Amino acid sequence: MLKKIAHFIAQQKLLEKDKKYIVALSGGADSVCLLLVLQKLGYDIEAAHCNFKLRGTEADRDEQFCIELCKKHDIKIHLAHFDTNFYAISHKISIEMAARELRYSYFENLRRDICADAVCVAHHQNDCVETVILNLIRGTGIQGLAGIQPRRDNIIRPLLCVSRDEIECFLKEEGQEYMTDSTNLDDLYVRNKIRLNIIPMMEKINPAAVQNIMKTAIRVNEANMVFDHSIEEASSRVSELSDDILVIDIPKLKSELSSEYTLFYILKNYGFNPDQIEAIAAHIDAPTGTVYLSDTHQLLFDRGRIIVTELEENTISLKIPETGNYVIGEDRVLKIDTKIIDDTFEISKACDTATLNADKVRFPLLLRNVKSGDRFVPFGMKGSKLVSDYLTDKHYSLNEKQKKLVVEDAEGRIIWLVGERTDNRFRIDADTKKALIITLTDK
């Protein structure tokens, strides 16, 4: 057992003897085995135990067991208590997700505090197989078929080379007791259903089912390395990222061997789920203006391109009752002032400034985003024009149009398409006595 794990650690380059590691210790068979094995192999370890206050006296029993176990083996232990129910309710997530977030957040903070290199957790072959089956049930790409990886960021899994049976045999030979979490015996949870019902049924069909699925997951993981390299090259051929704006060339995407998976590889990092990406791929020739939204990003079809941008935190709608300075967000200021027109007066030609006839403008003003149907009379013209048409003539994309701002007066008349052109109805002429000057600048 020790030789097998030592070989796996060396093969995967997981641990080094001159570094410190944290062992996530629950008190169950898997984590107890991990703690003893790493100590026997000579690694510098400290334990960390989380009490989630979910199982009453049983949770306190497990905590005390971990304390005594570490004392017996002269291993330092760190303890954490959580109000998991309150965290789940306040964050509107499941108890399982709450416990996971609390656990891994604590581990990472502790790792930094004690200058440990990584956190070792006790996932083994059976856990990996359960994950593969769970991913198949939920629907997965080929990454999901690779199961659990030996290392991800600062989390290390040295026991992925052994099964649950091997762990229990090791502990029996060592004469080492361990705690049993009663919730693991309840098939209320999906993972428990797989562990308690589905895997035993598969082993009746083939006693080597767990080992065979594990071998398949390892092969898939190796294939993934080749596949990811190929898909990464494809994504670089069809997409460009500039100033946090992702642009995908649709004709180039359609020419790739696997356009849908190339699209999946690109969009999964922007919050789009598999069902959304499947729908986008199925409607790859959608008309200009078609929009899909993830929790964090907007995807827009625009003239043979897909444009992905981060969602704006807030739509701008600022009421301006009088002249003065108005702060917009964290980095911009709208300055509004009046000035008497005399022989020294000059109209600003800067694109961030509008110079208007103050006598024709009615307060309060409103600074807002462009919306459908907006019309104005561009400076120098007599007839009105849709703002969207004006911006199209200037070759702005739909995404760029959506970010444009206008200033309208109390009568709902657009007096300035910000950064572009003022309205001709409010121009300075020979009879104008006072100018209204509006400037939108960075702080």
Side-chain angles (χ1 to χ4, degrees):
M1 175 82 164
L2 291 177
K3 289 180 179 179
K4 187 174 184 178
I5 296 172
H7 175 73
F8 181 72
I9 291 172
Q11 183 185 49
Q12 298 293 327
K13 300 178 182 178
L14 299 180
L15 305 173
E16 298 178 34
K17 291 290 178 68
D18 60 346
K19 293 182 178 179
K20 181 188 294 184
Y21 300 94
I22 296 170
V23 174
L25 180 65
S26 68
D30 308 335
S31 64
V32 170
C33 173
L34 178 63
L35 187 81
L36 299 185
V37 165
L38 293 186
Q39 186 183 52
K40 287 178 178 291
L41 291 177
Y43 291 101
D44 182 7
I45 58 173
E46 295 183 14
H49 177 78
C50 298
N51 187 334
F52 297 102
K53 299 296 182 181
L54 294 173
R55 296 180 290 117
T57 56
E58 188 177 285
D60 296 332
R61 175 209 68 184
D62 292 353
E63 178 179 326
Q64 189 58 39
F65 170 81
C66 291
I67 292 171
E68 293 174 1
L69 176 68
C70 289
K71 183 178 180 181
K72 175 182 176 182
H73 292 276
D74 195 26
I75 298 171
K76 186 174 182 178
I77 186 170
H78 304 268
L79 304 173
H81 295 172
F82 300 111
D83 187 341
T84 312
N85 277 313
F86 175 78
Y87 185 90
I89 293 170
S90 62
H91 288 76
K92 298 180 181 180
I93 57 178
S94 68
I95 291 292
E96 288 176 291
M97 183 59 68
R100 176 183 172 82
E101 288 185 5
L102 289 168
R103 175 168 64 249
Y104 283 107
S105 176
Y106 168 66
F107 289 157
E108 178 58 19
N109 289 332
L110 178 61
R111 184 191 69 81
R112 293 173 180 171
D113 289 343
I114 68 173
C115 298
D117 186 68
V119 179
C120 299
V121 296
H123 292 125
H124 47 75
Q125 285 184 353
N126 295 63
D127 292 317
C128 184
V129 170
E130 290 167 17
T131 298
V132 171
I133 296 172
L134 185 61
N135 287 341
L136 277 171
I137 293 171
R138 289 173 174 171
T140 181
I142 61 172
Q143 279 81 3
L145 299 179
I148 303 173
Q149 300 306 301
R151 179 163 194 156
R152 177 163 294 178
D153 299 325
N154 295 316
I155 302 298
I156 293 175
R157 301 177 176 91
L159 298 187
L160 277 182
C161 59
V162 296
S163 67
R164 171 74 184 197
D165 287 343
E166 289 176 289
I167 288 172
E168 291 180 351
C169 286
F170 171 79
L171 293 175
K172 185 176 181 180
E173 290 174 1
E174 292 290 313
Q176 177 61 59
E177 296 181 348
Y178 54 87
M179 297 293 101
T180 299
D181 183 343
S182 60
T183 62
N184 288 336
L185 305 177
D186 186 348
D187 66 0
L188 175 66
Y189 302 106
V190 175
R191 188 174 282 273
N192 284 3
K193 291 180 188 293
I194 294 171
R195 179 183 304 127
L196 300 175
N197 303 318
I198 295 177
I199 289 181
M201 187 177 297
M202 295 174 73
E203 289 179 325
K204 286 183 179 179
I205 298 172
N206 184 349
V210 169
Q211 290 79 6
N212 289 343
I213 294 173
M214 187 67 193
K215 288 177 182 177
T216 300
I218 293 171
R219 295 189 189 105
V220 170
N221 187 53
E222 290 294 322
N224 269 339
M225 296 180 188
V226 178
F227 181 80
D228 285 347
H229 177 72
S230 177
I231 289 295
E232 186 174 346
E233 289 186 337
S235 69
S236 66
R237 288 193 294 267
V238 306
S239 66
E240 291 183 5
L241 181 63
S242 178
D243 296 328
D244 295 325
I245 298 175
L246 174 71
V247 179
I248 302 172
D249 186 301
I250 293 176
K252 288 182 179 179
L253 175 65
K254 291 166 71 174
S255 70
E256 290 295 330
L257 185 62
S258 177
S259 59
E260 181 174 342
Y261 211 93
T262 302
L263 191 64
F264 177 83
Y265 182 86
I266 297 170
L267 295 183
K268 66 183 175 66
N269 298 318
Y270 293 87
F272 293 94
N273 61 49
D275 289 340
Q276 285 179 302
I277 298 172
E278 183 178 345
I280 294 166
H283 299 87
I284 200 66
D285 293 315
T288 292
T290 302
V291 172
Y292 290 84
L293 297 175
S294 73
D295 290 337
T296 58
H297 288 78
Q298 171 186 275
L299 181 149
L300 173 71
F301 281 83
D302 180 34
R303 293 172 292 186
R305 301 179 300 168
I306 291 174
I307 300 174
V308 182
T309 55
E310 190 171 3
L311 289 174
E312 298 290 336
E313 290 187 3
N314 294 297
T315 299
I316 294 177
S317 181
L318 176 66
K319 191 173 183 179
I320 306 158
E322 58 188 3
T323 58
N325 294 342
Y326 298 85
V327 177
I328 304 170
E330 298 180 353
D331 55 3
R332 290 189 290 180
V333 176
L334 185 72
K335 299 179 180 180
I336 301 179
D337 198 5
T338 57
K339 190 172 183 180
I340 300 298
I341 296 179
D342 55 23
D343 293 340
T344 63
F345 179 80
E346 291 184 3
I347 296 176
S348 173
K349 295 182 180 180
C351 63
D352 63 0
T353 301
T355 307
L356 307 162
N357 188 328
D359 293 330
K360 293 184 178 181
V361 176
R362 300 289 178 262
F363 279 86
L365 307 181
L366 178 67
L367 175 71
R368 62 168 174 81
N369 296 95
V370 168
K371 61 185 180 183
S372 178
D374 276 343
R375 302 187 75 93
F376 79 131
V377 181
F379 182 81
M381 293 179 60
K382 292 182 179 181
S384 69
K385 190 179 184 74
L386 282 170
V387 170
S388 61
D389 288 345
Y390 174 88
L391 294 173
T392 297
D393 292 342
K394 301 275 285 186
H395 304 294
Y396 283 107
S397 69
L398 285 174
N399 179 65
E400 291 169 328
K401 290 179 184 179
Q402 291 172 347
K403 293 183 178 181
K404 284 295 183 181
L405 302 173
V406 295
V407 178
E408 68 178 26
D409 74 349
E411 296 181 18
R413 300 171 297 180
I414 292 175
I415 63 176
W416 183 30
L417 176 54
V418 178
E420 294 294 328
R421 191 172 291 194
T422 57
D423 189 293
N424 196 62
R425 293 168 292 180
F426 305 90
R427 70 187 183 280
I428 301 292
D429 56 31
D431 298 325
T432 304
K433 305 299 182 185
K434 184 169 63 174
L436 178 70
I437 301 170
I438 308 175
T439 304
L440 182 61
T441 63
D442 295 333
K443 284 184 181 178

